[in-house]
Amino acid sequence: MQTSRANRTSFSARLQTHQRRAPLQSCCSAAACTNEGQKPKIVGLGSVGLDYLAQVAAFPKPDEKLRTKQMETRGGGNCANALTAAARLGLEPHLVSKVGADSIGEEIEQELLSDGVQTSFLLKATDHPSPFTYIIVDKQGGTRTCIHTPGASYAPEDLDQNTIVRILSHAQLVYFDGRLTESAVVLARAARERGIPVLVEAERLRPTLEVLLQEADYVCTSAHFPQQWTGEASLGDALHTTLQRLPNIKWLVTTLGKNGSVLLERCPDQAGQTEVVLSKLLGTLLEEVSASKSSSNGNSSSCALGCTSNNKTYIRAGRVKSSDQAVKLLLQRSPGDSPEATAAAAQAASAEASANADPSNAASYSTRSGESAVLDGPLVAKMTVASAASLPQEAIEDTTGAGDAFIGTILYAVTQGMPHDKMLKLAAVVAACKCTALGARPGLPYAQDISPELLNA
């Protein structure tokens, strides 16, 4: 076994390899370019940092000493990772965030620029270090454990009117990763005033995230967020309540890990005639997708669509099933207020605040009276479920940043007007490809690595 020092790759060597592999000018596909070859501009406000990744054979026990199998230093942060994924697919992302005026901040910026992520709005704080995260990657268990040290916050005062105008000029979409929520709300409202769509990520409970969600046109959540936020016992009821609380959003996507993802698209009330319990419909579509994926065995033409990873692993696109038409979605539990759900949501908010070293601010992590409107009447929507992409178990190196890769692909798909079924397929493929390398970004594919039929709208 080699030591971590022997396995550590210098930033300059990684940058040279990266530039040899895929010159920036070749990253823009025909589908992703606008008139005169201009790439669509998107904006992201959120986290950026440096990740110190230690891959180990198995997660250490308390007081145990062990050696790393591999050690890497890579750029990280949800927003920066998602924008990198979008850049490699052919967009022109602009990051709005803050790092320290130190060598780590310089390394963070140079890696972003090498991938085509614009940093004109990346501020450098002279009185704070750059943010960084220690990540333990458990090869045997397939998990990663993160210990984050934050840097200076991007504050609302950093967003004067002139800066907002420059940030949003010609932007086609604005993305928020759920952090820096006070500043995010300011920029989101400015985007909405200008008719620019807003996509918000809800990975976990965060202070005043609920206010930001009310400004969203599109929302992407982690598997556990809907139940944490609503306190509902079942995922189906949690998705129902989440969509009801956010009357302005067009659709909600929730990732389900190895089970794929689910999308709920809001439809006009008069469009749905058939009533169905959301939990039952979700279960049925998940079973159909799983059965369809198992029976294909890679023989159908759709299975040819996919992506080739940097280590030459071919990742096949998964399957998609939908409700075909809008339906009236019902709760599994009885309608009306649920004291149990309210108590569970409050408990989740308190636990999240404590985990974030912010226990005195627990109230801002939970649903507050008046902040979340709940629509009266039926919830009419169309459901689409997609399986995960097909990736051999032995090809999985690290799942760090898989959700960021998924969301970065969603950003690309929205700017292209991509159909929802194709969007979920592509996002699953890009997320799986990311998992073939250590770190959040090295495994991200470029446009030329992906089947054109899958990439193009």
Side-chain angles (χ1 to χ4, degrees):
M1 180 185 298
Q2 293 177 308
T3 65
S4 60
R5 181 177 299 171
N7 273 301
R8 181 166 176 168
T9 308
S10 70
F11 174 72
S12 59
R14 287 190 280 111
L15 182 56
Q16 291 173 2
T17 301
H18 164 68
Q19 290 173 331
R20 287 198 299 269
R21 180 187 169 211
L24 292 177
Q25 60 266 27
S26 67
C27 292
C28 183
S29 68
C33 292
T34 57
N35 293 335
E36 301 179 356
Q38 294 296 312
K39 299 178 181 181
K41 174 184 174 179
I42 63 170
V43 172
L45 186 154
S47 64
V48 63
L50 200 66
D51 290 345
Y52 298 96
L53 298 116
Q55 188 183 66
V56 296
F59 193 82
K61 299 175 183 177
D63 275 342
E64 183 179 23
K65 294 182 179 180
L66 74 167
R67 291 189 177 186
T68 58
K69 297 185 67 177
Q70 188 177 354
M71 176 73 187
E72 295 282 356
T73 304
R74 302 283 184 180
N78 288 34
C79 186
N81 294 339
L83 294 186
T84 299
R88 293 193 183 187
L89 294 177
L91 302 188
E92 182 190 288
H94 291 248
L95 175 65
V96 183
S97 194
K98 187 180 289 188
V99 295
D102 49 27
S103 60
I104 291 179
E106 182 65 24
E107 181 169 343
I108 288 169
E109 182 175 22
Q110 289 305 311
E111 185 171 351
L112 290 168
L113 288 171
S114 74
D115 255 314
V117 178
Q118 304 303 306
T119 59
S120 302
F121 307 110
L122 180 64
L123 302 183
K124 295 184 178 179
T126 58
D127 55 347
H128 282 81
S130 293
F132 61 91
T133 304
Y134 294 116
I135 303 176
I136 302 174
V137 180
D138 177 1
K139 176 75 172 177
Q140 184 182 69
T143 64
R144 83 282 188 278
T145 303
C146 305
I147 305 172
H148 179 64
T149 300
S153 292
Y154 192 98
E157 300 78 52
D158 296 319
L159 284 170
D160 60 67
Q161 286 303 309
N162 288 334
T163 300
I164 290 174
V165 169
R166 290 190 296 116
I167 289 172
L168 296 179
S169 177
H170 303 296
Q172 295 189 21
L173 180 66
V174 184
Y175 156 62
F176 302 95
D177 70 0
R179 293 167 174 81
L180 307 172
T181 47
E182 291 185 359
S183 299
V185 168
V186 172
L187 190 60
R189 288 174 175 168
R192 288 184 66 87
E193 288 172 359
R194 292 162 172 79
I196 304 171
V198 171
L199 188 149
V200 176
E201 174 189 359
E203 178 192 29
R204 53 190 285 193
L205 301 176
R206 298 187 188 279
T208 66
L209 173 60
E210 188 156 358
V211 180
L212 177 61
L213 286 169
Q214 298 299 327
E215 303 299 329
D217 296 284
Y218 314 107
V219 172
C220 293
T221 85
S222 62
H224 59 263
F225 177 84
Q227 286 173 273
Q228 282 189 324
W229 190 41
T230 66
E232 298 287 358
S234 71
L235 176 60
D237 282 356
L239 293 174
H240 189 288
T241 302
T242 297
L243 200 59
Q244 290 284 53
R245 284 183 179 179
L246 303 174
N248 296 323
I249 68 172
K250 296 177 174 65
W251 51 248
L252 166 72
V253 170
T254 296
T255 57
L256 304 175
K258 64 181 181 180
N259 293 321
S261 60
V262 55
L263 181 148
L264 287 172
E265 177 188 8
R266 176 174 274 116
C267 301
D269 288 351
Q270 62 271 22
Q273 301 299 321
T274 305
E275 292 187 348
V276 60
V277 174
L278 195 156
S279 291
K280 291 183 178 179
L281 178 60
L282 176 59
T284 298
L285 292 180
L286 284 171
E287 288 178 3
E288 290 180 1
V289 162
S290 178
S292 175
K293 185 178 179 183
S294 299
S295 63
S296 69
N297 292 320
N299 295 322
S300 68
S301 59
S302 64
C303 289
L305 302 179
C307 170
T308 303
S309 73
N310 193 30
N311 62 9
K312 306 307 180 184
T313 300
Y314 192 74
I315 298 114
R316 291 186 289 107
R319 298 292 184 152
V320 177
K321 295 288 183 180
S322 74
S323 58
D324 295 327
Q325 59 185 1
V327 293
K328 291 182 180 179
L329 295 170
L330 308 176
L331 289 165
Q332 186 172 24
R333 65 168 175 80
S334 300
D337 294 335
S338 171
E340 295 83 2
T342 301
Q347 185 176 6
S350 178
E352 194 66 47
S354 296
N356 209 32
D358 193 22
S360 63
N361 197 29
S364 68
Y365 288 71
S366 61
T367 302
R368 292 176 292 174
S369 177
E371 294 289 1
S372 282
V374 177
L375 292 178
D376 294 327
L379 172 60
V380 178
K382 180 180 178 180
M383 180 185 290
T384 303
V385 170
S387 69
S390 294
L391 175 66
Q393 182 65 35
E394 62 272 15
I396 300 175
E397 287 292 327
D398 176 22
T399 60
T400 302
D404 305 333
F406 187 97
I407 290 176
T409 311
I410 297 293
L411 300 177
Y412 169 82
V414 170
T415 64
Q416 305 306 296
M418 189 173 288
H420 296 157
D421 56 346
K422 200 170 187 179
M423 175 177 74
L424 296 181
K425 273 188 179 183
L426 177 61
V429 165
V430 173
C433 190
K434 185 247 76 71
C435 295
T436 61
L438 184 64
R441 301 180 195 168
L444 290 170
Y446 294 84
Q448 62 264 30
D449 301 323
I450 301 170
S451 303
E453 299 88 347
L454 185 61
L455 183 69
N456 300 330

